[in-house]
Amino acid sequence: MKPFIYKNTLSKVNVSPPLHQTEPMGYAYEIDEHFVHFYGRDSGLWVISSGLTTTEGKSGTIADWITATFGATDVVAGAREVGETVAGVWRPGVFLYDDIRTALATTDSDRHEALQSMRLLLDRLDELFLYVEPGPASLSTYSHKTRELLILACTELENAWTRYMREADAAPAGKDFTTGDYVKLLAPLFLSEFQLTLKAFPGVAPSRPFHGWTAAQPTKSLPWYDGYNQTKHDRKTHFDKATLKNCIDAVAANLVMFSVRFSPYPLYNEGGTISSLFRQLFEIELKDCRRESFYVPLIKFPDNPNLNLIVIDSANQKMVQPWGVKPFSL
């Protein structure tokens, strides 16, 4: 079954402040004896709150229930089955570390290795900021250090892209994978939704590194990657393409690829140097989300369930069922 996804405009559950004001998104489906509703945010990382699971015994249709109980508007059908995920593709609905492992089919060792790579990139970017203050007047600055970081960041990115192509059993159009192949990842990985902001430098516009990536111009439509491609192969002519802005966008692109595979939450919560550096430098959020692509957890009630309209923490009460993980494909 696929969930209904909608905006909440009223709350009949007795919570202050009303939940539709703080959690304006809703996700609903029906199980044996119950209608089930999850509250969620409509900004930032669009968290779906299993701790605010609302249930009631079934009466009438679920469409009538979400309208009468939550004032549902802008209703759409989810694209995925309830409880279903895709390996290596994070969507809101996956939050806990156990879910990162099971729902995304990742391992702790893979995550730690990826975090080490991110730590290196963030360290080098932070070091650049000691010498060049990011701002409108400095973003075109370039040097051997910016060129070094740009090449490192884009090399790491190509490794991440190639991994997804191989997991999808995709063959390159030519001898090796190029951006003409990699651009096929844009839609299934939801890359264009991710936006990163340099928190300490409000004069620098937020970075959406994959926004505007097109198959018609798969390299030039990523200006930071085009700059890397030029300065890597011809430093004498294109040294000036190794700009601070391109470095920021290339590091941001790596943060996006990490977030797709492991969710953004380890960047905030892993602890140690990596989380400290990330929180010091960046804030990550989703823009122009395809909310129908979100992952909605499936719950199962114990025997003799409560049929009244109630709010429960389905995660802590061990009601959330194991995720059904589909392989990644193009």
Side-chain angles (χ1 to χ4, degrees), residues 2 12 27 41 48 85 142 154 197 201 207 271 285:
K2 295 180 179 178
K12 286 194 172 180
Y27 308 83
R41 303 290 177 87
I48 297 176
T85 65
Y142 62 93
C154 289
T197 303
F201 306 101
S207 173
E285 59 187 322

Side-chain angles (χ1 to χ4, degrees), residues 251-280:
V251 172
N254 276 274
L255 290 167
V256 169
M257 294 305 298
F258 177 92
S259 298
V260 168
R261 180 166 288 277
F262 301 101
S263 90
Y265 297 112
L267 295 170
Y268 289 98
N269 302 323
E270 192 79 9
T273 302
I274 176 66
S275 295
S276 177
L277 262 177
F278 175 78
R279 290 195 303 263
Q280 171 189 323

Side-chain angles (χ1 to χ4, degrees), residues 227-254:
Y228 146 76
N229 201 45
Q230 294 182 61
T231 196
K232 174 186 175 183
H233 294 291
D234 188 351
R235 184 184 64 191
K236 181 176 178 61
T237 305
H238 297 294
F239 194 17
D240 63 346
K241 303 301 191 301
T243 64
L244 180 62
K245 182 181 188 314
N246 283 343
C247 287
I248 293 169
D249 287 339
V251 172
N254 276 274

Side-chain angles (χ1 to χ4, degrees), residues 203-223:
V204 178
S207 173
R208 288 181 71 176
F210 294 104
H211 191 60
W213 197 10
T214 68
Q217 292 186 305
T219 298
K220 291 190 177 298
S221 58
L222 294 180

Side-chain angles (χ1 to χ4, degrees), residues 14-215:
N14 187 22
V15 177
S16 182
L19 283 173
H20 71 275
Q21 295 179 6
T22 58
E23 305 273 341
M25 291 301 301
Y27 308 83
Y29 55 90
E30 55 185 293
I31 52 179
D32 295 339
E33 298 180 286
H34 288 83
F35 294 134
V36 178
H37 160 96
F38 293 91
Y39 282 98
R41 303 290 177 87
D42 66 348
S43 61
L45 296 176
W46 292 66
V47 173
I48 297 176
S49 302
S50 58
L52 295 172
T53 308
T54 304
T55 66
E56 188 173 22
K58 288 164 64 170
S59 177
T61 68
I62 189 168
D64 291 340
W65 183 68
I66 63 175
T67 300
T69 310
F70 308 101
T73 63
D74 298 336
V75 181
V76 298
R80 307 213 70 86
E81 298 290 317
V82 172
E84 181 181 278
T85 65
V86 177
V89 183
W90 174 77
R91 295 271 75 202
V94 169
F95 177 76
L96 301 173
Y97 268 64
D98 282 346
D99 290 337
I100 293 170
R101 298 182 189 99
T102 58
L104 302 181
T106 63
T107 66
D108 289 346
S109 61
D110 282 345
R111 186 179 76 253
H112 293 154
E113 181 182 357
L115 283 166
Q116 285 297 97
S117 296
M118 287 311 314
R119 176 183 174 179
L120 178 60
L121 296 177
L122 291 171
D123 268 333
R124 295 199 177 187
L125 184 64
D126 190 44
E127 183 182 11
L128 279 179
F129 291 168
L130 294 176
Y131 300 96
V132 184
E133 183 79 2
S138 65
L139 290 178
S140 59
T141 302
Y142 62 93
S143 68
H144 288 284
K145 281 294 185 181
T146 57
R147 182 174 181 269
E148 179 184 71
L149 177 54
L150 183 61
I151 291 173
L152 175 62
C154 289
T155 300
E156 287 293 324
L157 195 66
E158 289 169 342
N159 286 329
W161 284 341
T162 299
R163 179 173 179 171
Y164 275 103
M165 300 301 289
R166 289 174 175 164
E167 287 180 355
D169 291 327
K175 180 182 177 182
D176 299 306
F177 288 115
T178 68
T179 51
D181 303 299
Y182 296 139
V183 72
K184 297 173 185 177
L185 298 171
L186 178 67
L189 298 185
F190 307 94
L191 298 178
S192 65
E193 293 182 1
F194 289 84
Q195 176 174 288
L196 288 105
T197 303
L198 280 172
K199 294 193 296 184
F201 306 101
V204 178
S207 173
R208 288 181 71 176
F210 294 104
H211 191 60
W213 197 10
T214 68

